Amino acid sequence: MTISIGHRSLRITSPGNVMLWLVAAFHMLLAAMLLAVLFSVSPATAADDASCTGRNILTDLKESDPARYAAVVKEGEAVPNGKGIFWKIEKAGIKPSWLLGSMHVTDPRVLDLPPRTQAAHDAADTIVIESDEILDEKKAATALLMKPELTMFTDGTTIEKLLSPDDYARLEEGLKQRGIPLAAVSRMRPWMISSVVALPGCEMARKAKGVQFLDQKIATDAVASGKQVKGLETLAEQLQAMAELPTEFHMKSLIETLALGSKMNDVVETMTDLYLSGDIGMTIPMLKTVSPDGADEDSDYAAFEQRIIIDRNKIMAERAAPILANGNVFMAVGALHLPGEGGVIELLRKQGFTVTAVN
């Protein structure tokens, strides 16, 4: 697949993967949240249908290509700490704490925490999330407006100058379906715009109607109960991580998202099913199957993994350690930050904590 960026052509060997990695690991609703606040997207202008229509990609793959499905399962099972989203954190002399791998969506299946997880949340003294700034969306958006370079082009560049006429038309239609005029976001950085067209219409509809995504709900419930809520990152730091990836990377993400169209609904539905079953290690192997040839772009993924996952894992683990040292903490971070040799679970173990999965 070849795309045009301005007057340049760029070869993409793996349609879809770049954006899908970002959807899997990053707070895509964070960007959607900011756009909703900044441009006053209302329930009346957002997508009206709050039902999701995606199909599970792996269910179809199991029937159509059993061998490839088996390979996905095998790769997922080989990921360290890739099974389970709820973990117990222990160290001698302090009360146990709890770690939940979250999914940044408004899906009611995700919001409905299992009884044991809910009980741990309710009994905790302190709640830790990626960023406590999500408790006040308008305040967060206002603060980020003070650093426009993180979300917008400040050199006169517009998205129209970077897209071909066909891609520009597809983008305009995709945003229209979500109640956002293209003119309003023309100077936004590509990944901000991608976050909106990547999310299923049902997510945008629920968000516009005031439904909180999981991390927000966890934090809001904690505040209502008089608990202390602490963040591990600032929203500016999260956006900075995205901004540091090359513009070409983000342009590929945007164009690939437009090319995938309604298939994004299937991707999100499959990620949700994997999340609910605790098969987090299968997320990236699953995303590879979305490409026609199953290949992925190693250089792109390496850059993404280092900056968006590994670097942030280290920050989360380092900042969580002194909070966990007090015991009785309930911590929730994106589920894709948990598994792997460089995941939060392994990093906490290196700090002397015992971390075990809870069924």
Side-chain angles (χ1 to χ4, degrees):
M1 176 181 180
T2 302
I3 62 173
S4 297
I5 298 180
H7 300 292
R8 295 168 293 161
S9 293
L10 186 63
R11 179 70 179 171
I12 298 180
T13 60
S14 177
N17 277 355
V18 176
M19 189 63 218
L20 300 182
W21 297 329
L22 296 177
V23 171
F26 192 68
H27 235 316
M28 301 310 290
L29 268 181
L30 164 61
M33 174 191 81
L34 293 175
L35 289 177
V37 172
L38 293 173
F39 301 111
S40 300
V41 180
S42 68
T45 57
D48 292 326
D49 186 3
S51 62
C52 296
T53 58
R55 292 172 53 86
N56 189 306
I57 294 169
L58 293 179
T59 299
D60 293 342
L61 184 66
K62 187 176 182 179
E63 296 177 357
S64 64
D65 193 341
R68 193 174 185 190
Y69 172 79
V72 170
V73 173
K74 182 178 180 180
E75 184 176 351
E77 290 177 343
V79 177
N81 308 312
K83 184 70 174 179
I85 60 172
F86 190 46
W87 299 73
K88 188 176 185 179
I89 305 173
E90 298 174 284
K91 181 180 282 191
I94 60 176
K95 291 183 178 180
S97 292
W98 309 89
L99 172 63
L100 173 68
S102 66
M103 189 173 182
H104 311 310
V105 295
T106 61
D107 191 314
R109 296 171 295 174
V110 173
L111 298 182
D112 186 18
L113 296 178
R116 189 167 184 180
T117 306
Q118 186 66 58
H121 171 278
D122 295 344
D125 294 325
T126 304
I127 304 298
V128 174
I129 55 176
E130 288 183 20
S131 174
D132 58 356
E133 293 171 299
I134 61 175
L135 282 165
D136 189 333
E137 296 181 1
K138 291 185 178 180
K139 182 178 179 180
T142 300
L144 290 172
L145 284 175
M146 302 300 291
K147 297 182 178 181
E149 69 279 3
L150 295 181
T151 58
M152 303 179 69
F153 289 116
T154 56
D155 60 357
T157 298
T158 64
I159 200 68
E160 182 178 10
K161 296 177 182 179
L162 300 175
L163 289 174
S164 69
D166 288 344
D167 287 327
Y168 186 78
R170 280 196 288 268
L171 175 59
E172 186 172 32
E173 178 60 26
L175 290 174
K176 181 180 179 181
Q177 293 174 5
R178 289 157 174 77
I180 299 176
L182 181 52
V185 299
S186 64
R187 295 187 183 277
M188 285 283 177
R189 290 192 176 274
W191 70 267
M192 286 284 290
I193 302 173
S194 296
S195 68
V196 178
V197 294
L199 288 169
C202 58
E203 277 291 333
M204 292 299 294
R206 288 192 294 256
K207 180 60 192 168
K209 292 175 182 177
V211 179
Q212 296 181 317
F213 53 92
L214 179 57
D215 311 64
Q216 275 183 314
K217 185 176 185 300
I218 287 172
T220 300
D221 289 349
V223 171
S225 300
K227 299 180 186 296
Q228 185 178 36
V229 177
K230 295 186 176 182
L232 299 176
E233 301 174 295
T234 65
L235 295 182
E237 286 175 327
Q238 292 184 342
L239 297 184
Q240 183 65 45
M242 291 291 285
E244 288 178 4
L245 293 174
T247 297
E248 283 193 349
F249 180 96
H250 292 306
M251 286 305 301
K252 287 193 289 183
S253 300
L254 176 57
I255 294 169
E256 289 168 358
T257 302
L258 295 171
L260 280 170
S262 62
K263 195 173 182 66
M264 286 300 303
N265 294 343
D266 298 335
V267 171
V268 174
E269 178 65 20
T270 309
M271 287 196 298
T272 302
D273 286 346
L274 290 176
Y275 176 81
L276 293 172
S277 65
D279 293 312
I280 303 304
M282 286 179 61
T283 302
I284 296 300
M286 177 276 293
L287 294 181
K288 294 178 183 178
T289 70
V290 177
S291 302
D293 59 2
D296 66 337
E297 297 175 81
D298 292 339
S299 60
D300 279 341
Y301 181 70
F304 155 80
E305 183 181 35
Q306 183 64 49
R307 189 65 189 94
I308 304 300
I309 301 181
I310 296 177
D311 287 353
R312 293 177 60 217
N313 288 350
K314 294 176 182 177
I315 291 173
M316 291 180 189
E318 289 172 359
R319 294 178 181 174
I323 305 174
L324 293 171
N326 294 319
N328 201 25
V329 172
F330 182 95
M331 182 166 74
V333 299
L336 209 61
H337 291 287
L338 303 190
E341 295 293 345
V344 169
I345 291 171
E346 283 302 320
L347 293 176
L348 290 177
R349 286 172 176 162
K350 290 178 180 178
Q351 293 174 358
F353 294 99
T354 299
V355 187
T356 52
V358 179
N359 292 327

